[in-house]
Amino acid sequence: MLSLLPARAIDRDKAEYLDSFTWSGTEPWFGGFSAIEVGADGMSVTVLSDRATILTARIIRDGDRISSVVPGEAHKVRSSRNKVLKGRVGDSEGLVVAPDGSFYISFEGVARIARYRQLGGLAEVLPRPKAFDHMARNGAFEALAMDARGWLYTMPESSRDADGTIPVYRWDGRVWDTVFHLDQVGGFLPVAADFGPDGLLYVLERKAGTLGFRSRLRRWTVTERGASNEEILFQSGTGRHDNLEGLSVWRDAQGKLRATMISDDNFLFLQRTEIVEYRLPD
């Protein structure tokens, strides 16, 4: 098992805030978005709802600002027996779009990861180690990421090891391992993850309060020795953004790193579906 190397947190708010766009829709499936994957063109996106709906969409841009989002066809996330997932088993949270066009979804209500060959296809559930059986009911796998080798990484939102650290599980195509641990700092909880085109691991974290949400983005270098060189890229004040839960890191047309995040409105009229973008330092 790999170990956590000493973190080196430096220079908060290194990221440059670009834009926030409020996306609205009247479709019955609209809302509860917990994951987003942005294509290399910065306009094609895949979005996942925590009520077992996945769809493609297109972002229309005016410079650095998002002017509109055009949704494509929505599909229900299904089981391996072609049943529409509902309730706890349909609490779909994390998303990875693989290079071959297939995609992986992490689930929170019943902790597991499933592969889908296509939108609307059947689930191929990955093996579940015993550790997955003991996750908190509403604190399992919101975050899911894939590295350049095609290996998956996930971490529970609130379930912790005995020392209070966040266990990071890796699927190498054969077995699950607990490859390293991350420190939980300041009460923030991990809700999304992505490996950027720079090869670094990015984790979006959230802290909920009575007056709203706070968000934080951290990143690490991941090697066979563990996770190191921690950086805090931004940490928002209460209410600056809505309930950000989805993260995608990509390069724009100028070659700059960009983080695109999406909020889960919990299907509540007091909240909003917000797409937020920051430019990140290399």
Side-chain angles (χ1 to χ4, degrees):
M1 183 180 76
L2 304 183
S3 62
L4 173 69
L5 298 183
R8 181 173 57 88
I10 59 174
D11 297 337
R12 293 188 180 187
D13 298 324
K14 295 177 67 178
E16 175 192 357
Y17 169 70
L18 294 176
D19 188 30
S20 295
F21 174 81
T22 299
W23 182 20
S24 59
T26 59
E27 298 85 352
W29 48 258
F30 187 89
F33 297 124
S34 57
I36 186 169
E37 283 281 338
V38 180
D41 62 0
M43 294 181 288
S44 57
V45 297
T46 305
V47 182
L48 176 71
S49 163
D50 61 11
R51 293 190 183 177
T53 299
I54 189 168
L55 68 144
T56 56
R58 190 159 187 84
I59 293 177
I60 308 302
R61 299 181 181 275
D62 181 7
D64 278 334
R65 299 184 62 84
I66 298 172
S67 58
S68 65
V69 178
V70 181
E73 185 177 357
H75 300 263
K76 296 304 293 184
V77 178
R78 297 179 176 273
S79 72
S80 59
R81 298 182 179 181
N82 202 28
K83 294 183 180 295
V84 173
L85 296 174
K86 298 179 180 179
R88 285 184 60 205
V89 295
D91 187 3
S92 48
E93 296 285 351
L95 174 68
V96 162
V97 178
D100 66 359
S102 66
F103 56 96
Y104 294 82
I105 293 177
S106 63
F107 294 85
E108 186 170 41
V110 178
R112 67 197 190 281
I113 313 295
R115 179 178 184 260
Y116 294 83
R117 296 180 185 271
Q118 59 188 13
L119 295 174
L122 305 184
E124 301 171 11
V125 181
L126 302 186
R128 296 179 69 250
K130 290 183 179 180
F132 289 11
D133 293 333
H134 305 291
M135 298 290 170
R137 184 168 182 172
N138 194 38
F141 302 136
E142 292 208 9
L144 185 65
M146 177 182 282
D147 68 13
R149 295 170 291 191
W151 294 358
L152 295 171
Y153 295 72
T154 189
M155 63 199 76
E157 179 185 7
S158 61
S159 296
R160 296 289 174 266
D161 275 3
D163 61 359
T165 57
I166 304 166
V168 179
Y169 302 98
R170 184 183 68 193
W171 171 256
D172 65 1
R174 298 176 297 106
V175 296
W176 285 102
D177 288 312
T178 308
V179 288
F180 52 83
H181 294 75
L182 302 177
D183 287 327
Q184 181 177 330
V185 180
F188 284 82
L189 304 178
V191 292
D194 194 19
F195 278 91
D198 55 358
L200 301 182
L201 174 63
Y202 292 78
V203 177
L204 173 65
E205 299 170 293
R206 172 191 61 203
K207 185 175 184 180
T210 56
L211 298 178
F213 301 93
R214 301 179 66 191
S215 298
R216 181 172 67 196
L217 184 62
R218 290 195 283 172
R219 70 181 175 189
W220 292 262
T221 300
V222 174
T223 67
E224 289 302 318
R225 297 181 60 200
S228 61
N229 301 326
E230 177 192 333
E231 295 179 82
I232 297 175
L233 298 173
F234 79 83
Q235 184 168 301
S236 70
T238 302
R240 173 70 184 276
H241 304 304
D242 206 279
N243 180 28
L244 296 181
E245 283 199 6
L247 167 70
S248 184
V249 179
W250 52 286
R251 286 196 187 275
D252 60 23
Q254 289 73 46
K256 302 293 186 180
L257 282 172
R258 189 177 298 205
T260 299
M261 292 158 282
I262 194 167
S263 68
D264 175 2
D265 67 354
N266 292 302
F267 293 93
L268 298 174
F269 75 94
L270 292 176
Q271 292 182 242
R272 64 192 183 277
T273 297
E274 183 183 26
I275 300 177
V276 176
E277 294 194 315
Y278 280 77
R279 183 171 289 128
L280 308 178
D282 271 296

